[in-house]
Amino acid sequence: MTDKLSCCGIDVSHLTLDVTYQNNLGELFYLQVGNNNAGFKKLLEHTGQNCHFVMEATGVYYIRLAFFLDSLGCKLSVVNAMSIKRYIQMHLERNKTDKKDSRWICHYAIDQRPPFWQMPDSAYFECKQIYNTIREYAEQVKRFNNQLHSLKLLPFPSKETVKSIEKMKSYLEKEIDHLEVKLQVLLKKWQPEQYKSINSIKGLGKRATALLIIFTQGFKHTTNHRQLISFAGLSPTEYSSGTSIKGSNRIYKKGGKPIRDVLYMCAMNAKQTNEACKQLFDRLKAKGKTGKQALIAVMNKLLKQVFAVVKNNSLYQPNYCSTLH
């Protein structure tokens, strides 16, 4: 069914869409339109609705277009920007312009036929925005704490400056508390069973539970624990060739850094409170692994436990013998 559709590659930026599309004969044409409703309508005047639209996931800039096309029942794909980048590099392209990028995206669509995009639940968008705001506020609180620490080292710190920073810090902390309560309410309405199951795992707090549900879209496209580990950028990688190149094994960090950061702190807790994680950590340390290597293994273990309870729609059972290795 996909083969019957002409392809349209769209390079999305803040203000404009650079578009390369096929006609019925397979010939390629280019146009540029605004990244707004008027531009979207002009785009469809040229391509028609019976087209496979492909674009990169570029921050928030693609979302309005994706919603517009989805509302009309158009077929579209939102592709990881790294996939497009590697495709272009594979063809040894040396130049980069928005026009060229749209053409390469169109070629990628013709060659690869990426899967169609599925509209996430509306609750996902609201929860994600609240979580990102909490994270940003937490970063600002951290910066304020660093400022206060620096000021206290001065021989004559400004009392007004310290007072102002402490006031702003206190306000942000109250906002974080308010948003976290709101987020928990939304998550319990959107994914009550998943929230209850994940939150039952020792070592995982409310923030980690929220993060895992949000950034997997309620585990909508997660079919095994390896996908979850890869999504978090925790998959082991090997780099070797012949007898001369023997790179050390390490994790593949092309994944969710926010998830890794939160899971690392969870692993610090889980190696003491989660019996399975504690046994794993102690066993690896006894074999000579570093503390960091053992903690990464604990992070993987936590994700396996998360997938198991979500898949089985059950609470965590400390004495359960998992088949996930």
Side-chain angles (χ1 to χ4, degrees):
M1 182 176 178
T2 324
D3 296 332
K4 296 180 181 179
L5 295 173
S6 298
C7 289
C8 174
I10 306 171
D11 184 71
V12 182
S13 62
H14 178 205
L15 298 175
T16 58
L17 304 175
D18 289 86
V19 181
T20 298
Y21 64 96
Q22 289 179 300
N23 66 3
N24 294 332
L25 300 176
E27 300 169 319
L28 298 184
F29 295 88
Y30 168 80
L31 76 149
Q32 186 183 78
V33 297
N35 190 358
N36 50 48
N37 285 339
F40 304 159
K41 292 175 182 177
K42 185 176 180 182
L43 166 65
L44 290 184
E45 288 176 6
H46 288 263
T47 64
Q49 294 186 25
N50 189 32
C51 193
H52 184 184
F53 300 90
V54 179
M55 65 199 81
E56 294 177 325
T58 50
V60 298
Y61 297 148
Y62 75 92
I63 293 177
R64 285 189 300 173
L65 174 61
F67 267 63
F68 178 85
L69 294 174
D70 184 79
S71 68
L72 296 176
C74 298
K75 303 296 185 182
L76 69 142
S77 300
V78 180
V79 181
N80 189 305
M82 185 62 71
S83 298
I84 303 293
K85 182 178 180 180
R86 292 289 183 257
Y87 180 82
I88 296 173
Q89 289 175 339
M90 183 180 70
H91 288 84
L92 305 179
E93 175 61 67
R94 293 173 294 176
N95 302 310
K96 178 177 173 56
T97 65
D98 292 341
K99 181 178 180 179
K100 278 183 173 291
D101 284 350
S102 73
R103 190 176 185 88
W104 279 116
I105 294 172
C106 186
H107 283 302
Y108 176 88
I110 296 168
D111 291 345
Q112 303 298 317
R113 295 293 177 176
F116 295 140
W117 184 70
Q118 295 180 28
M119 174 71 74
D121 300 331
S122 58
Y124 158 77
F125 289 105
E126 186 171 5
C127 288
K128 186 177 180 181
Q129 289 174 61
I130 293 176
Y131 184 88
N132 287 341
T133 303
I134 291 171
R135 187 170 173 233
E136 178 59 33
Y137 285 174
E139 287 295 318
Q140 291 184 36
V141 168
K142 186 177 178 181
R143 287 193 287 269
F144 283 145
N145 282 329
N146 291 337
Q147 280 184 277
L148 290 170
H149 175 73
S150 299
L151 287 170
K152 288 175 182 177
L153 296 177
L154 296 175
F156 303 104
S158 167
K159 292 182 180 179
E160 287 301 316
T161 301
V162 171
K163 183 180 178 181
S164 176
I165 293 173
E166 287 179 339
K167 182 179 178 181
M168 292 300 297
K169 177 190 163 189
S170 176
Y171 176 76
L172 284 176
E173 287 173 338
K174 289 178 182 177
E175 283 299 301
I176 289 173
D177 290 341
H178 169 73
L179 288 174
E180 283 187 331
V181 170
K182 179 67 174 175
L183 180 59
Q184 303 309 316
V185 171
L186 287 172
L187 286 170
K188 288 175 184 178
K189 287 177 65 177
W190 176 35
Q191 297 290 350
E193 297 302 323
Q194 288 183 11
Y195 181 88
K196 187 176 179 181
S197 296
I198 298 172
N199 208 36
S200 69
I201 298 174
K202 295 289 186 182
L204 290 180
K206 291 181 179 179
R207 190 169 294 186
T209 299
L211 181 63
L212 287 164
I213 294 173
I214 293 167
F215 284 88
T216 59
Q217 295 184 32
F219 294 81
K220 194 173 184 179
H221 308 292
T222 309
T223 57
N224 59 68
H225 71 278
R226 293 181 184 83
Q227 285 179 321
L228 190 57
I229 290 170
S230 177
F231 183 71
L234 288 170
S235 298
T237 60
E238 181 181 0
Y239 185 76
S240 63
S241 178
T243 59
S244 58
I245 299 176
K246 294 291 181 183
S248 58
N249 293 344
R250 58 187 63 198
I251 59 172
Y252 188 70
K253 292 186 178 181
K254 301 291 185 183
K257 186 178 183 300
I259 296 179
R260 281 200 309 279
D261 292 344
V262 171
L263 279 176
Y264 190 83
M265 299 308 297
C266 291
M268 296 286 285
N269 183 19
K271 71 184 178 71
Q272 297 176 328
T273 60
N274 187 311
E275 188 58 33
C277 292
K278 183 179 185 302
Q279 290 178 10
L280 175 63
F281 183 86
D282 293 342
R283 185 168 68 251
L284 292 176
K285 287 287 289 180
K287 288 182 177 180
K289 299 295 184 182
T290 65
K292 186 176 181 180
Q293 288 174 324
L295 280 173
I296 289 173
V298 170
M299 292 161 70
N300 276 273
K301 184 70 172 179
L302 284 171
L303 289 179
K304 291 177 182 178
Q305 291 177 350
V306 167
F307 180 77
V309 296
V310 170
K311 178 185 177 183
N312 296 319
N313 193 23
S314 64
L315 299 179
Y316 176 64
Q317 302 172 32
N319 299 322
Y320 177 73
C321 295
S322 175
T323 59
L324 296 177
H325 299 292

